[in-house]
C-alpha cells in the first residue's frame, strides 16, 4: 500500500515538474513594509508557452480579510515572437491591520483542471502603526485661521450681477 502511494506521488510530481517547465507564475510586491493604510503594488505575472486556456485569478475587493484591493488594472497579454505568452496584472493593495500579514499563494489553473495548477510563493507584509509619543505633553488645539475678505472677488461678483 505504501509503495503504491509513493509511486503515485512520484508520478504526480514528475508530471507537475514537466508541466511547470512550460509555465512560470510570479507575484511581486513594491515593498514588504508599510505604514497602516499605505498602499503598495502587487504585480502578478504568468509566462507560458502552452496553447491551453488559463483561469486568471479574480478578486473583488479583498485578497484576504486583512488585505484590501484599492485598484486593479486589466490583465495585459503580450505574445512574443518566440511563442511565449506573458500575462501581467497590477493590484494596488492596502491593509488596516498591524503586524505581519501573509499574502497566500495565488493559484493559476490550466485547462480547467485543478491538477494542472501553478501557485505563486506566499509573501509576507509587515504593517506598522504610526508611532505615538505617550510621554509627550498634550498640546492645545489650534484656533481656525481667519480667511481675509477678498474685496476684488466680491466686487467682480457684484458687477456681474448688476450687468
Amino acid at each position: 500500500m505504501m509503495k503504491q502511494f509513493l509511486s503515485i506521488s512520484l508520478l504526480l510530481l514528475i508530471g507537475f515538474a514537466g508541466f511547470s517547465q512550460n509555465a512560470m507564475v510570479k507575484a511581486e510586491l513594491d515593498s514588504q513594509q508599510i505604514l497602516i493604510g499605505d498602499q503598495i503594488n502587487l504585480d502578478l505575472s504568468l509566462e507560458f508557452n502552452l496553447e491551453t486556456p488559463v483561469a486568471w485569478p479574480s478578486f473583488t475587493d479583498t485578497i484576504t480579510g486583512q488585505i484590501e484591493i484599492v485598484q486593479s488594472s486589466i490583465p495585459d497579454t503580450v505574445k512574443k515572437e518566440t511563442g511565449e505568452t506573458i500575462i501581467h496584472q497590477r493590484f494596488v493593495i492596502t491593509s488596516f491591520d498591524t503586524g505581519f500579514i501573509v499574502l497566500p499563494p495565488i493559484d493559476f489553473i490550466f485547462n480547467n483542471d485543478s491538477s494542472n495548477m501553478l501557485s505563486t510563493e506566499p509573501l509576507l507584509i509587515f504593517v506598522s502603526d504610526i508611532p505615538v509619543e505617550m510621554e509627550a505633553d498634550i498640546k492645545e488645539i489650534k484656533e481656525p485661521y481667519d480667511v481675509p475678505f477678498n474685496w476684488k472677488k466680491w466686487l467682480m461678483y457684484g458687477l456681474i450681477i448688476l450687468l
Side-chain angles (χ1 to χ4, degrees), residues 120-133:
T120 62
E121 293 291 323
L123 300 172
L124 190 62
I125 304 170
F126 179 68
V127 182
S128 59
D129 56 355
I130 299 171
V132 177
E133 294 181 29

Side-chain angles (χ1 to χ4, degrees), residues 26-61:
K26 188 170 28 173
E28 294 179 320
L29 292 169
D30 282 353
S31 174
Q32 291 183 327
Q33 183 173 356
I34 61 171
L35 283 176
I36 189 168
D38 275 352
Q39 299 175 0
I40 56 174
N41 293 324
L42 167 65
D43 291 314
L44 290 182
S45 62
L46 167 65
E47 193 171 322
F48 62 104
N49 289 330
L50 304 172
E51 294 297 326
T52 58
V54 178
W56 191 261
S58 64
F59 304 104
T60 51
D61 58 350

